[in-house]
C-alpha cells in the first residue's frame, strides 16, 4: 500500500520551536512511524516542491494521501486540489490531520465551512473512544490523553459524519468531534484532530496507532473514473415517436 | 417567505418544443404555482441577467433558492456560486431540480461527482414514497407516476443522503434516488429529480405539491455568518509559560 | 397538541431530598412549564396508576410522550411498552429524559444496550450546541451550563443518531452525546440527558426551552398503522404458470 | 472465521417444490457455497433442534450468524432471541436474508416494523449497485438480475440504513432497498433481500458472492460485554458535601 504524506512544511522552517520538535518536518516524522508497518510504503510531498510534489504520477500511485496544512492553505493551487479531489472520488483514501480542516481539499470534499473554535494555550486533551469496534480505533482503549495540545471546539462546521469515532474533552471547558469519517464517491475520508506543530503529538503512541490504522482502513477497494453515460434501456420501451425533435445535448 | 427561482432559461429560447411547453420559461411556471401559496413570495432570476440575477441584495432577501440548469452550467460565474454557497451555509434553503444535479452549486455543496445514468426516450417514471412522514411528502400517496420523463439511473454519485424520500422506477429497467435531503452548515438542501425540459412535468399536481412542501421545509431557522474564533478558556488552565514563543498565526 | 408526561414517580416518594425539589413529582414540574405554551395541552401518567396511566385512550390522544424512569424500569409492563412502541412507529413523538436511556421503550426502539458511564458527584455539566440551526435548539446559545448534574460518559451504547445536537463536557473529565434524534417508523425520538432527580434541573430555563422546543419538533405529521400488504402488480407481468403450486403463506 | 447458518427449515419439509430445489434445506445450500472459501468454517442450526441449534456454546463460537426464517418466526423462543441480540451487540455479525426482515432478531435490533409490500408472481428482479466501492459488492457489476423472485416493495419499515448498497427494480413496477447495513453496538448487520424458497436463488453466482463478501465484512473486530460502570472522576472535583444524602441506586 502506497501512502503519500503531504505537508505544508513551513512552520518547521520558520519557527525554531517547531524545528526543534520536527527537525525534518512533520511529514518525515509521520513517514518514519508508518514505515514500521511492513505493508506500508510511505513517501512525502511538500508545498514548495513543483506541483506541490503531487504530480500526476505521484497521485496515480498513491493509495492513501495524508494531508497537513495550516498557514499556507491559500498557496495550494486549485488545479492540484482538483486532481486530488478527482482521485479521492475515484477511490483514493484521504486522511486530514489537525489544521487540514481548513485545507482546500477537505473543504471541497465536505462542502461546508469546516470552521471551529480554537485556542493555543495549556489545555490537556482527552480523546474518548465512541466507537470501540471501529478498525481505526484498534488497540485504543476507552480514552487517551495528549498532555498539551491546541484546543479545537464545537460547533465544528462539518456535515454529519458517517461515523463519529472520537470526542475530545479539553481542560478549558470545550468538546470537539476529533475523529470522524465520511465517504465521498469511492474514497474514504478520515479527519483526525491532533497534531499542532508546537507539540510533539506525532511522537505519541496512540496518535501513531490511529494514523496507521486509518491508512489501512482508507485503502482503496476500487478505482472508478467519473462517468455520466447515456444508457440504453434494459427493458422494452414504447416506440419513440419524438426522437426527431429531441434535443441532443448530453449531461456533459 | 421569499423564494427565488433561478433558471438557466436557454432551452426555452433555443428549442421550439420546450418553448411550446414553457413559453415564459420553467422559472415562470414554477413561480406561478408557488404563488398560489399565500405564505410564499416568489421571484425569478436567470442566467443571462447581470450577475445571473443573483445580486447581493437578491441573495440577502432570499429564504429559499430553487435552481434549474442543464446546458450552460459552465457559464455560471464562480463568484456567484461562492456567494450562493456562503448563503446556504449561513442558513438559506436550496432546492436543486433535475439537471441541477450537475450545477456548480450542487456539486460544491455535496463534494462529489453527482454523476448518473441518463436516457431521453419514452420511459414512464413511478416515484415511490419511502418516508411518508416527511413534510416534503405531505399529501403524496404511496407513489405517483409521470407519464414521460428522462431516465436518470443509479449509481448516483452523491454522499449518503440524510434522508431518502423517493426512489424512482423507470420502464426501461432502472431505479434512482429521486428525492433526497442533506444539511450543509445551517442550510437545508433538497434534490428532486423530475423536470426534463421537453415534458410538462412542472404542471403536474404531485410535482407542484412536493416543490411547495419543500420550500416550507427548507425555510431558514437561523442565519449564522461563518466564524472561526480564537476562544478564551471557560475553565482554569495551568499557567502558560510558553506564550512568548507561540506562533501568532490564526486559522484564517 | 397533546403531550403526556410519564414519570416513574418513585424517587420523589422515597427520598426526602428529591421530594423537597419536586414535591409533586418531576412530571408535574414538567407539565407546569409546558403549560406556559398555549399550543400544548399537557397531562401526566405514572407507573403506579392502572396500566401505568397509559391506557389505550390516553395513548390514542397523545401526540408526544415524554418519559422519565430510573429505579423501576423492570416494573413497566411489556404489554404497555409494546403499545407505546406501536404508537411511536405510527407517528407519535417520544422524548426520553435522562435515565430513560435505560427504559424498556427507549431500548426497544433503538435496539442497542444504551449503556453509559455514570457518577453522582459534584460535576458541573456544560452542554455544547453542535447544530445551532436545529429547531430543538431554538433560543439556545453556543453552550449552557448546569451547575450540578450526574455525570454520564461515553461510550454511549446507541446507534449513530440521525442528528447530534448537544455534546456535554463534565468537570471530572468526561464527554457525552447529550442531545440526539432518531426516526423510527413515522415517529420522531429525542433523547435529552439532563434531569437527575437530586438536582433542580427541570427548573432551569434552557432545559425547559429545549424540552418545549422538542415537543413541537416531535409533533406527528401522519398516523400510519403497520401494514405488510400483498400488492398486485402495476405493470404487465408474464403469465403465471406456477400459481397452482405456489405456497399461500403470507408475511403475517 | 466461524459462520453459523440458521434456517427455519420448514418450507423444505412441507412443500415438495421447495424440497426439489433445496433437498437438504437452504441452510445446507448456503453452507456448501460458503465452504468454498478456505477462510470460512460453516455450520448450520435449525428451528427444530434443541434451543433451535443456538446453544450458548454455538453462539460463543460464532463470528457471523446468517438467518433465514419465514413461516415460523413466532416459534423462535424469546430467550434465544435475547441471547443472539446480546452477542450481536458484543460484536458478532448478523446477515438477515429475505423473509428474515420479519424475524424477531432483526426487528429487535432495528426497533421498527420492518414491514413491506410483497407479491409472489412472475417478477424479474434487477438489483442495482448503488455503492460499488463497498466490500460487500466486490465483484458485482453495475447490476445483476434474478430471473424470478418474490417481489418486495417500498415503503420498507426500517431505520435509515448506515449504508444503502442495492436497490431492486421489479417487473411489476416496484422498487426496494435490497441491500443495506446497520451497526448495532459492536456488531455489523447486513440485510439482503433475495432468497424466496420457491426459486433457486441461492445457487446464483452473484447471490453467493454477495453473501460470501458479507461474511467477511461482518467479521467481528472486538468482543465487548455490556457494561454500565460507575466511574470515578479523572479530573479534580469540588468537595462532595452531599454524599451522605445521595441515593445509592445504580443504573442496573
Amino acid at each position: 500500500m502506497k501512502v503519500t504524506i503531504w505537508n505544508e512544511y513551513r512552520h518547521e522552517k520558520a519557527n525554531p520551536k517547531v524545528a526543534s520538535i520536527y527537525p525534518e518536518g512533520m511529514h518525515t516524522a509521520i513517514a518514519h512511524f508508518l514505515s514500521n508497518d511492513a505493508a506500508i510504503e510511505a513517501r512525502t510531498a511538500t508545498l514548495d516542491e513543483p506541483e506541490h510534489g503531487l504530480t500526476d504520477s505521484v497521485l496515480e500511485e498513491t493509495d492513501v494521501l495524508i494531508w497537513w496544512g495550516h498557514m499556507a492553505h491559500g498557496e495550494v493551487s486549485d488545479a492540484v486540489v482538483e486532481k486530488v479531489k478527482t482521485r479521492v472520488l475515484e477511490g483514493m483514501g484521504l486522511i486530514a490531520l489537525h489544521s487540514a480542516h481548513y485545507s482546500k481539499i477537505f473543504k471541497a470534499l465536505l462542502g461546508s465551512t469546516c470552521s471551529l473554535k480554537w485556542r493555543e494555550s495549556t489545555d490537556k486533551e482527552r480523546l474518548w473512544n465512541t466507537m470501540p469496534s471501529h478498525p481505526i480505533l484498534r488497540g485504543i482503549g476507552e480514552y487517551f490523553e495528549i498532555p498539551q495540545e491546541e484546543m479545537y471546539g464545537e460547533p465544528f462546521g462539518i456535515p454529519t459524519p458517517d461515523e463519529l469515532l472520537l470526542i475530545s474533552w479539553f481542560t478549558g471547558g470545550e468538546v470537539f468531534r476529533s475523529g470522524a469519517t465520511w465517504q465521498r464517491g469511492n474514497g474514504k475520508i478520515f479527519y483526525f484532530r491532533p497534531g499542532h506543530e508546537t507539540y510533539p503529538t506525532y511522537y505519541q503512541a496512540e496518535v501513531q496507532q490511529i494514523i496507521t490504522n486509518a491508512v489501512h482502513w482508507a485503502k482503496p477497494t476500487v478505482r472508478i473514473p467519473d462517468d455520466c453515460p447515456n444508457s440504453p434501456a434494459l427493458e422494452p420501451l414504447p416506440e419513440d415517436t419524438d426522437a426527431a425533435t429531441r434535443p441532443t445535448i448530453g449531461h456533459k
Side-chain angles (χ1 to χ4, degrees), chain A:
Chain A
M1 182 165 29
K2 296 188 177 183
V3 179
T4 302
I5 302 109
W6 191 89
N7 184 14
E8 195 177 87
Y9 198 27
R10 291 278 178 86
H11 287 295
E12 296 94 330
K13 296 187 235 175
N15 182 332
K17 181 174 177 183
V18 179
S20 73
I21 302 172
Y22 298 109
E24 299 175 86
M26 279 179 279
H27 51 297
T28 310
I30 293 170
H32 185 74
F33 74 73
L34 285 178
S35 297
N36 292 333
D37 185 324
I40 296 175
E41 185 183 328
R43 74 162 99 188
T44 63
T46 57
L47 179 63
D48 293 326
E49 296 174 50
E51 299 182 55
H52 313 321
L54 298 172
T55 60
D56 289 357
S57 69
V58 167
L59 283 176
E60 185 69 26
E61 291 174 2
T62 298
D63 293 306
V64 179
L65 178 65
I66 299 178
W67 196 277
W68 198 103
H70 181 216
M71 63 188 279
H73 293 312
E75 294 181 42
V76 178
S77 105
D78 290 339
V80 167
V81 171
E82 193 58 33
K83 282 182 192 177
V84 173
K85 183 175 173 184
T86 296
R87 280 288 290 124
V88 171
L89 299 179
E90 286 177 0
M92 184 178 72
L94 178 70
I95 300 173
L97 297 177
H98 190 58
S99 303
H101 75 97
Y102 249 19
S103 61
K104 287 183 178 179
I105 181 61
F106 189 66
K107 293 177 73 172
L109 286 161
L110 293 205
S112 56
T113 65
C114 302
S115 293
L116 45 79
K117 289 188 175 57
W118 59 280
R119 175 177 63 245
E120 295 183 55
S121 186
T122 59
D123 290 88
K124 174 170 65 182
E125 177 176 15
R126 178 179 296 111
L127 297 99
W128 287 94
N129 179 347
T130 56
M131 202 170 174
S133 66
H134 199 283
I136 292 180
L137 297 170
R138 189 172 51 86
I140 302 299
E142 294 206 321
Y143 66 86
F144 69 98
E145 297 178 3
I146 303 178
Q148 276 211 345
E149 253 294 344
E150 184 180 9
M151 184 283 293
Y152 277 12
E154 294 283 344
F156 186 15
I158 49 173
T160 297
D162 296 344
E163 299 163 319
L164 176 59
L165 306 190
L166 295 161
I167 300 177
S168 289
W169 178 102
F170 288 96
T171 317
E174 291 86 1
V175 298
F176 195 71
R177 288 172 284 177
S178 283
T181 76
W182 297 263
Q183 175 112 5
R184 283 294 178 273
N186 301 295
K188 290 171 148 180
I189 302 169
F190 175 53
Y191 175 74
F192 187 40
R193 200 212 72 79
H196 196 59
E197 65 274 6
T198 59
Y199 306 112
T201 299
Y202 293 123
Y203 297 111
Q204 187 167 331
E206 295 93 339
V207 172
Q208 296 186 352
Q209 177 77 62
I210 286 173
I211 295 173
T212 306
N213 290 342
V215 163
H216 285 273
W217 169 84
K219 186 182 174 179
T221 54
V222 292
R223 178 167 182 180
I224 304 177
D226 187 19
D227 192 21
C228 197
N230 188 341
S231 298
L234 300 165
E235 301 288 334
L237 288 176
E239 191 187 352
D240 189 352
T241 55
D242 271 352
T245 65
R246 184 164 303 117
T248 55
I249 293 155
H251 275 253
K252 295 195 170 177

